[in-house]
Amino acid sequence: MEFFFEVLIGGLLSGVMYALVALGFVLIYKASGVFNFAQGAMVYLAALSVVGIMEWGAPLWLAVILAFAVMTAFGIGTEKFVLRKLVNQPPIALFMATIGLTFFIEGLAPMIFGSDPRALDIGIVDEPIPYILENWNMVISKFDLVAAGVASVLVATLALFFQYTRIGRALRAVADDHQAALSIGIPLQHIWAIVWGVAGFVALVAGMMWGARNGVQFALTFTALKALPVLILGGFTSVPGAIVGGLIIGASEKLAEIYIPPVMQDLFGGNFGGIEGWFPYVLALLFLLVRPEGLFGEKHIDRV
Amino acid sequence: MSKKIGDVILDLQNISLRFGGVKALTDISFNVREHEIRAIIGPNGAGKSSMLNVINGVYHPQEGKIFWHGNERKKMEPHMAAQQNIARTFQNIALFKGMSVLDNIMTGRITKMKANFIEHALWFGRAKKEELEHRKKVEEVIDFLEIQHIRKTPVGRLPYGLQKRVELGRALAAEPSMLLLDEPMAGMNVEEKQDMCRFILDVNDQFGTTIVLIEHDMGVVMDISDRVVVLDYGKKIGDGVPDEVKNNEDVIKAYLGAGH
Amino acid sequence: MLYREAGQFKTSYAADQQLFPIRQDRIGLVLLLAVAFFGIPLFASEYWFSAILIPFLIFALAALGLNILTGYAGQLSLGTAAFMAVGAYAAYNFQLRVEGMPILVSFICAGLTAAGVGILFGLPSLRIKGFYLAVATLAAQFFIVWCLTKFPWLSNNSSSGVISAHNINILGYAFDTPRDKYLLVLAIVALMALAAKNMVRSSTGRAWMAVRDMDVAASVIGIRLMHTKLLAFAVSSFYCGVAGALYAYCYLGSVEPDGFSLDMSFRILFMVIVGGVGSILGSFLGAGFILLLPIFLDITLPFVADLFGLPFSSATVSHIQIMVFGALIMFFLIVEPHGLARLWQIAKEKLRLWPFPH
Ligand SMILES: Nc1ncnc2c1ncn2[C@@H]1O[C@H](COP(=O)(O)OP(=O)(O)OP(=O)(O)O)[C@@H](O)[C@H]1O
Ligand SMILES: [Mg+2]
């Protein structure tokens, strides 16, 4: 039983990270109607920028600031040179453009900063928390806890920012109606720039956490991609949805990884590890069949 | 106008439709007789389009019964309405933008085409014969609507008025027994409106098609329709021949109140 | 002989509705096929067959499959490579386990298996659209590849799921040289392209496009959305499945599940975007373009770098390649969303008017 909880908690903690990346999606989607497939690649770019800049001799804090500048510049550039030119295209064209953007980033980032996997040390060690180990006999990583803590704070901040600030409200307004947003008095371009800046920041935090935990490498993009099924579970426009979805995906994929393979092995022989790689997607797919609007999305009937 | 108006073919009883908290239709009953032109009017947001959507199964009302030729209709999907020969056009043009005028109208005959995809792929059996037969029918529609010159044009490139006409063509291609028209003349100039009126009357006259029509232009409505239903805020406030409706106090109030 | 349709009056609907209504197009196509079947085999080297022509045809077929689904029926899929994998492994297993099954029948069965799997993963399309569906197809991509790697039975217990294609023998003739394989692939691809063209010009294709352009209107006209979408998934996956079987049997000879990666799915999607969404011709143009581009960059980049005296590694070349792919996709979506096929059409229209441009 301890082991079950250990897995569950570990999963929930990583789920917070998924929630964070998913929130980056939700932000951009709400404000510009763009479904940004490149969010995963942005996480990779951010992490790679930090280690790359550190390799050029900068201390961590400076590297983080510079990386943030890179991400913001990149986001604004994307908005200006790609997305703005596609405003009148169907959403699916914008989506495909962000797939192109993904490739662009995945070529550009390693070309500048190198492609070999590297470690990123942000000063938190990845070891079990002694207190929990002694009292409950569970291995819960200190690192995971800190990462989840940071992510939670960020998630909460963003959620509040969305709900209660003028810009946040403007952001939500744009999603519903560009004309209405204009009347609030904030130019659309500014709003989009802010959104991409924030999304870049989210990617940076996620990239550093994951990079520090698993090393900065291309596989990060796949980890970050799991924010997509999170969104399907949570509904694309719902902030609480992204959070709950993240937790569900995080916990269930870890549990699946531990408990399914032995059963499969008994049945078919062989080794059935690696379920984590697809489990979130299949879960999301099954979920779609039952409740296509997501946990928190509203049922929508096309207007004709 | 001396035409035979037949029995009630569509009877709606106590229809109510909600979207979340929005009551689009509340307890509405009315009927449609064979061969008549039946207009639905009302201010913006009154629930007119929703009414058409209920008739052809796009929306499913929470309450109420619908009788089609005397039989109660169970929950129905839109494509079943098409099989029962109900065709329609939309308020916001719903043509297939990526296709030519010809293909759009050909699509209107899809329920009548029986060849399956394997016959199509191998181009044998009914595939070729059917294409030609139905092409002939479609050309008749094209002649009827006087749009021969734009046959091969992608519909996206056509001006608004012509698009509306093509959409009517797509509906007519199905040789419907009932035609639902959602604001067929909105946004047209006088000349285009006259053409459209003529087509509607001709369809009704020549093919005996029953027509349910939503229109904001009172002149047109009073001119061409046999009976009129008036909706306001999802409720029925008037029903009868044009003259009756024109003098109905609730109707006058609703229209003045809505600033018309 | 100029590209004119003047004087070619259509006197019947049959003439107007034939496969290629303009005479020059018909002649052009016949010439092209003649060159492909008889000309190329005389001159092309083994390298051309096995490194360029065969993969070109196979990827064009896969792109055609995806184009049916995405370009015609409007359902975006990011799992194309996985459906190819299903085809490859199905063909292998039919050959392995069914005594004496002719190879062509195995290919068809491979396509049918892929079609079945395609329908399964297409089910969510009944309730969702657009990028929701795209995410759902990622499930196909990851899950299928995982299954092929992990279930030993599927690869006849080979390590990490590698399979080796059987020899190809049709009616006693062994297709073992690259030239033979090229001709086999060419014949299959040509026939399937013709079938695709026939489908999209008939009511099957119109139903797909109607669903793509305006699904509510489509259903109001009487198109059954479920049937139409699932048919698109099935036909598309059939094409991808056959492409996968050919990929294993006529191109690589031995494949592993990981080879059918997400990256490959994306490349096929790029072929469709660059070539032309909703165009049969475009699938071929796109496949050619996306396959030749890396070769072109491989040749030119070091040369360019040399010119400017820049240091250069093969890793850099591959990074630039990926970047160029990404940039190209964005470029095409912005500048010419209908891709090379549209450019070709514009060129033809210009030619038709030449030398009097108005
Ligand atoms: N698919 C839908 N989802 C949510 N609400 C809807 C939907 N369709 C209609 N409504 C609501 O139902 C009410 C009636 O709308 P409807 O379109 O039927 O009005 P209408 O009489 O056709 O108006 P108009 O003259 O503007 O076309 C409106 O309040 C509208 O917002
Ligand atoms: Mg309306």
Side-chain angles (χ1 to χ4, degrees), chain C residues 321-344:
Chain C
Q321 250 181 43
I322 295 172
M323 264 177 77
V324 171
F325 272 140
L328 255 171
I329 293 313
M330 293 186 278
F331 176 81
F332 266 94
L333 286 169
I334 293 170
V335 178
E336 186 46 80
H338 295 288
L340 294 171
R342 175 81 191 128
L343 293 179
W344 169 244

Side-chain angles (χ1 to χ4, degrees), chain B residues 85-89 104-106 108-109 112 137-138 140-145 147 164-181 196 198-200 202-204 206-207 209-211, chain C residues 221:
Chain B
N85 270 328
I86 303 178
R88 80 170 276 188
T89 66
N104 264 278
I105 302 181
M106 281 290 271
R109 295 197 62 80
K112 304 201 156 48
K137 283 277 181 210
V138 165
E140 285 170 24
V141 174
I142 289 179
D143 288 344
F144 177 78
L145 294 174
I147 47 176
K164 284 247 162 197
R165 207 186 284 189
V166 175
E167 207 188 3
L168 176 64
R170 187 178 67 188
L172 288 180
E175 299 175 69
S177 65
M178 179 180 277
L179 184 58
L180 315 175
L181 303 174
M196 189 52 93
R198 183 161 54 84
F199 294 134
I200 293 172
D202 280 353
V203 169
N204 181 248
Q206 291 180 17
F207 313 122
T209 311
T210 312
I211 289 171
Chain C
I221 277 171

Side-chain angles (χ1 to χ4, degrees), chain B residues 13-48:
Chain B
Q13 295 180 358
N14 312 98
I15 301 290
S16 293
L17 172 73
R18 288 181 301 275
F19 297 102
V22 180
K23 286 185 175 170
L25 299 170
T26 313
D27 196 27
I28 291 188
S29 305
F30 74 96
N31 60 36
V32 181
R33 292 175 175 278
E34 195 162 18
H35 306 313
E36 79 174 332
I37 298 184
R38 185 74 151 124
I40 302 177
I41 62 170
N44 291 108
K48 305 179 295 296

